[in-house]
Amino acid sequence: MSRFDDLKQRMRGSIAPIITPFKEDDSVDLDALEELIHWHIESGTHGISVTGTTGEPSSLTLEERVQVMERAAKAVNGRVPFVPGTGSTNHQETLYLTQKAKDIGADAAMVIVPYYNKPSQHALYKHFKTIADTVDIPIIIYNIPGRTAVNMDVKTIARLNEDCENIIGIKESNKDFEHVNRVLLHCGRDFLLYSGIELLCYPMLAIGGAGYISATANVMPGRVADVYNYWVNGNIKKAQELHYDLMPLNDVLFKDTNPAPLKAALGMMDRINPQLRLPMDLPNEELQKEIRSVLDQYGLLSKNVGSHA
């Protein structure tokens, strides 16, 4: 038995990585963030995450990241698990943000493999081990080699799982499906494995995954959550149908760097002011037309947005 067993049962399904809305003056729109969180929970999203890749954390100041985490925690108000992203390339900043997550009552912290500086596996172990030893909060490792330029080896993940009671899972934005199978083989199937790759969200459930943290949930929170709902209730055929039904939306939302297409889509749905901070920007006009066309196919444009989202 682990002191995290109850949490592990709750932290399953669709944990939505919420975007960070900005106002016209480039400031963070905390009111819009709160509205998005309410919409997600009302739509059936199983958990909320902020300041992960989709939340543009590298475009936020340290103070803004804390403000987003605090406002999100208040909006969630314990209704579903809350898992903010607290990692950065800076070890001390990661410790600081992870401690803040604990202070505001987050259920867990999602800590990304440091990007840009390309640490060795030994250095990655020391980085995560120190965080886990310093801050007594459940930790979800976030492995996204396409963004970080380094992939955390299965052996490193398994070693951290063995040595750190509070490292309870991993978000794998990893297209190597053999790798993610071996994560559960070596860490045990009570280790929480989440897909961060949209087309692997459903397949990850089949190998024993706990769920997924999918950017597409920002656009269709209900349907993305229902893939898990159908699966866990034994309606495999319906889960498969929904997996393929979501594929055109998944495809168009990743034709430019996330979250640029996503913010364009949410703007077209009148959910947010579609603004990113430089060096990120909205997609070109051609891709925006394609996004609009796909949204229209799903009935998601602002004129007909309804409960089916």
Side-chain angles (χ1 to χ4, degrees):
M1 291 289 290
S2 162
R3 61 191 171 112
F4 301 119
D5 285 346
D6 288 344
L7 176 65
K8 285 183 175 183
Q9 289 304 311
R10 290 193 296 114
M11 279 183 49
R12 294 177 179 272
S14 174
I15 299 177
I18 309 296
I19 59 100
T20 301
F22 297 120
K23 298 178 182 178
E24 292 288 348
D25 64 2
D26 227 22
S27 62
V28 177
D29 192 340
L30 294 173
D31 290 340
L33 174 70
E34 184 168 340
E35 289 177 9
L36 287 173
I37 290 170
H38 291 318
W39 173 51
H40 269 270
I41 295 174
E42 290 163 4
S43 299
T45 288
H46 303 112
I48 298 292
S49 181
V50 294
T51 59
T53 301
T54 304
E56 297 174 78
S58 59
S59 296
L60 302 174
T61 66
L62 206 57
E63 181 182 14
E64 286 173 332
R65 288 187 67 168
V66 173
Q67 289 172 348
V68 168
M69 288 164 51
E70 289 176 338
R71 186 63 170 268
K74 181 180 177 182
V76 173
N77 195 28
R79 291 178 288 171
V80 296
F82 175 51
V83 189
T86 61
S88 85
T89 56
N90 184 294
H91 181 72
Q92 291 300 322
E93 283 186 2
T94 302
L95 287 170
Y96 171 78
L97 290 167
T98 306
Q99 182 62 51
K100 285 291 184 183
K102 177 178 170 61
D103 293 345
I104 63 176
D107 294 277
M110 185 169 64
V111 182
I112 194 170
V113 169
Y115 39 94
Y116 180 74
N117 43 27
K118 297 179 71 174
S120 67
Q121 295 300 310
H122 175 66
L124 285 175
Y125 174 84
K126 289 180 67 176
H127 174 68
F128 280 94
K129 177 74 161 58
T130 302
I131 296 163
D133 288 347
T134 304
V135 187
D136 187 20
I137 187 174
I139 291 171
I140 305 294
I141 298 168
Y142 179 14
N143 189 31
I144 179 168
R147 292 263 193 170
T148 62
V150 63
N151 183 44
M152 184 178 277
D153 289 348
V154 172
K155 288 182 180 179
T156 307
I157 300 165
R159 186 181 172 200
L160 285 165
N161 177 52
E162 178 70 23
D163 295 347
C164 308
E165 181 191 20
N166 57 328
I167 292 183
I168 63 170
I170 188 165
K171 175 186 177 182
E172 280 283 2
S173 292
N174 196 325
K175 293 184 178 180
D176 183 349
F177 205 56
E178 290 187 15
H179 167 94
V180 297
N181 275 267
R182 295 187 188 282
V183 169
L184 287 186
L185 175 66
H186 291 282
C187 294
R189 277 170 283 174
D190 63 339
F191 192 65
L192 300 179
L193 173 66
Y194 304 95
S195 177
I197 299 293
E198 274 58 30
L199 296 191
L200 294 183
C201 289
Y202 171 68
M204 202 78 89
L205 298 175
I207 64 168
Y212 36 83
I213 303 173
S214 166
T216 304
N218 280 272
V219 175
M220 299 191 81
R223 285 201 203 177
V224 171
D226 276 343
V227 174
Y228 178 82
N229 293 335
Y230 285 127
W231 169 264
V232 80
N233 289 320
N235 195 337
I236 308 304
K237 182 177 180 181
K238 193 66 177 178
Q240 289 175 342
E241 288 174 354
L242 197 46
H243 166 71
Y244 287 106
D245 180 64
L246 287 166
M247 198 174 292
L249 182 61
N250 288 329
D251 287 346
V252 80
L253 290 178
F254 286 88
K255 288 195 172 184
D256 195 355
T257 304
N258 180 46
L262 190 53
K263 282 198 161 181
L266 287 169
M268 294 170 193
M269 295 166 62
D270 282 346
R271 291 287 179 188
I272 63 164
N273 171 47
Q275 186 160 326
L276 296 93
R277 283 180 174 172
L278 293 172
M280 298 289 287
D281 199 6
L282 289 171
N284 61 37
E285 289 186 15
E286 182 179 354
L287 181 52
Q288 290 204 43
K289 288 180 181 177
E290 187 175 350
I291 293 168
R292 181 175 291 277
S293 175
V294 171
L295 292 180
D296 192 37
Q297 293 171 31
Y298 287 90
L300 290 173
L301 294 178
S302 60
K303 67 181 185 309
N304 50 21
V305 168
S307 60
H308 49 273

